[in-house]
Amino acid sequence: MAAVSARLPAFPWDKLEPYKKTAAAHPDGIVDLSVGTPVDPVPQPIQDALVAAADSPGYPTVWGTVALRDAITGWLQGRLGASAAGHRNVLPVVGSKELVAWLPTQLGLGAGDKVAYPRLAYPTYEVGARLCGAEAVVYDDPRDLDPAGVKLLWLNSPSNPTGKVIPKEDLIRIVAWAREHGILLFSDECYLELGWEAEPVSVLHDDVCGGSYEGIVAVHSLSKRSNLAGYRAAFLAGDADVLGELLEIRKHGGMMTPAPVQAATVAALGDDAHVEEQRVRYAARRAALRAALEAHGFRVEHSEASLYLWVTRDEACWETVAHLAELGILVAPGDFYGEAGAQFVRVAFTATDERVEAAVKRLA
C-alpha cells in the first residue's frame, strides 16, 4: 500500500487548512469559493425518479439499463450533435473522477507509456498516470507533443481551472492529429453545458469527428449541470471498441452505477428546464463575483465557461489566498493545477446567493 501511495503527490487541499481556519474566523463566517461543489437542491423530478427506484434489491448491470442507454444516446444526438451515437457508444461510470483516476490502469498502460494533459489541469489526470506507473507529460498545444510513447491524450474543454474553451476548428485539427499518430483521445467535457462567453463543442460533434468515433471518447458528468455530485452520475461516449474493452474490465471489477442513480440519470437527461434554471443562478453569481473581483484589483483571464473565475493580482497565488482569507473568503491557489498557475487563484461561483453576496460586500 505504501508503495502505491508513494507514487502520488501530496493531497493539495490539505495545504489550504490554515487559510480555511483564518477565513472561518471572520465574524460573518467563511465564504468558501475553493471547491466547485453544488449547493442548490437536486431538481425535484430527479429526486422523484431516485425514490421511485429505491426498491432495487438486485444487482445493477455495469452497462446500464436500456432506458439509461436510450437517454444517453438521445442526449448525445440532440445536445452534442453526435448523430451516429448508439448503445455501443455509451458506458455509465461511477462519477467522472473515478474514471479519470483509473482509466490509464484499465487501459493497461504502465512504465514506458505516456499520458498527456494540459499544462494547467485538473490534478487527477496526473494521479491517473502515476497510479499505473506511466509518465505524465504536459502540453500547451497537444500537436506540439512528440507523439512517441503517448498512449492517452486528455483534452479538457471547458477547462478546469481556467474556463478556457477549445474552438471547434482546433478540435478538428487535434482529433485528426491524434488519429494520424494512433493516440487514444479522451475529452473531459464535464462543464460543456456551462458556456458563458463561448459555446463549447464536443469532440463527438459530427463536424469535429466526421461522424466517426474511432479513437475518441468524451467524458460527461451530471454533477454540475444537474446538482448531482452526491449521486456520482457520469458516463462515457465514443469509440465502441474502447468502451467495449472498458465494459469487460469494469464488469470484473464490479464498477456498477447503482440502479436508483441510473433511474435518476434518465430523468436528468430528459429534462432541460432544470439545466436552464441552474444556469440562470450561476450566471447571476458569476456576474456579481466578477464585478467585485475586478473592482478589488483582480484581472480575469479566460473564464469564458465552467464554474470558475481564473483571476490574478500578479502576485504569488498563496499571497492572494492569504489576503482573501483575511476577508473570510477561501479560494483555490492556482499552483494546485500546475506551475503555470503560480500567480492565479481559482474562484468558484457555486456558493449560495447569500454567501456570494457576503463575498461581494467584503471585496468592496
Side-chain angles (χ1 to χ4, degrees):
M1 290 177 66
V4 175
S5 64
R7 300 176 194 165
L8 305 179
F11 190 64
W13 297 99
D14 292 342
K15 300 177 185 178
L16 263 185
E17 282 303 314
Y19 303 92
K20 187 173 184 178
K21 290 180 180 178
T22 298
H26 190 280
D28 186 37
I30 188 173
V31 177
D32 192 345
L33 308 179
S34 64
V35 182
T37 187
V39 298
D40 300 302
V42 173
Q44 195 60 49
I46 302 175
Q47 293 190 47
D48 292 344
L50 184 84
V51 171
D55 186 14
S56 298
Y59 290 111
T61 63
V62 175
W63 197 20
T65 63
V66 172
L68 176 60
R69 284 179 266 131
D70 281 343
I72 296 174
T73 54
W75 184 83
L76 293 171
Q77 293 165 9
R79 179 62 183 85
L80 300 192
S83 65
H87 281 203
R88 293 184 64 243
N89 301 113
V90 301
L91 179 64
V93 295
V94 191
S96 58
K97 183 170 185 176
E98 168 264 307
L99 182 280
V100 173
W102 293 106
L103 177 65
T105 298
Q106 292 176 15
L107 291 173
L109 305 188
D113 297 324
K114 297 178 182 177
V115 175
Y117 53 87
R119 188 173 303 279
L120 278 167
Y122 183 45
T124 311
Y125 303 134
E126 178 186 359
V127 167
R130 291 193 180 207
L131 280 171
C132 73
E135 179 185 352
V137 295
V138 299
Y139 65 78
D140 294 306
D141 184 327
R143 293 166 294 175
D144 294 335
L145 287 167
D146 178 355
V150 178
K151 297 296 179 66
L152 174 62
L153 170 64
W154 278 108
L155 299 185
N156 181 207
S157 177
S159 162
N160 175 15
T162 69
K164 184 178 181 180
V165 172
I166 301 175
K168 180 193 285 187
E169 295 73 20
D170 287 344
L171 283 176
I172 292 170
R173 297 185 187 102
I174 293 168
V175 167
W177 179 87
R179 285 172 168 169
E180 176 187 353
H181 296 288
I183 297 171
L184 179 59
L185 187 159
F186 265 67
S187 180
D188 181 346
E189 301 175 353
C190 290
Y191 297 91
L192 185 133
E193 296 207 81
L194 294 161
W196 311 110
E197 298 165 11
E199 184 60 38
V201 178
S202 173
V203 293
L204 301 183
H205 192 288
D206 291 351
D207 292 348
V208 174
C209 66
S212 166
Y213 309 132
E214 179 186 357
I216 58 173
V217 177
V219 182
H220 283 271
S221 166
L222 280 75
S223 294
K224 315 301 186 185
R225 73 183 296 275
S226 300
N227 301 335
L228 294 188
Y231 284 44
R232 311 315 300 135
F235 57 88
L236 306 179
D239 190 314
D241 290 338
V242 173
L243 297 191
E245 177 67 12
L246 290 176
L247 173 61
E248 292 304 312
I249 294 165
R250 295 172 70 84
K251 282 160 62 175
H252 282 288
M255 294 178 173
M256 300 173 283
T257 302
V261 175
Q262 293 189 32
T265 301
V266 172
L269 292 175
D271 175 48
D272 293 331
H274 78 273
V275 179
E276 185 54 35
E277 290 172 6
Q278 191 60 44
R279 276 182 55 86
V280 170
R281 293 188 191 105
Y282 284 142
R285 294 166 186 166
R286 177 181 184 271
L289 280 171
R290 179 167 191 152
L293 287 163
E294 289 177 333
H296 196 77
F298 284 94
R299 184 176 73 255
V300 178
E301 291 197 0
H302 298 303
S303 307
E304 58 256 34
S306 83
L307 290 176
Y308 313 106
L309 293 168
W310 185 241
V311 305
T312 182
R313 296 201 309 174
D314 296 311
E315 65 184 7
C317 61
W318 287 100
E319 291 182 25
T320 305
V321 170
H323 167 71
L324 291 174
E326 292 292 337
L327 299 178
I329 301 170
L330 189 68
V331 298
D335 64 4
F336 276 11
Y337 308 95
E339 294 179 2
Q343 290 194 323
F344 287 81
V345 295
R346 192 195 74 171
V347 183
F349 44 88
T350 54
T352 63
D353 291 343
E354 184 274 332
R355 287 290 83 187
V356 168
E357 183 180 356
V360 169
K361 289 179 179 178
R362 297 175 195 184
L363 289 166

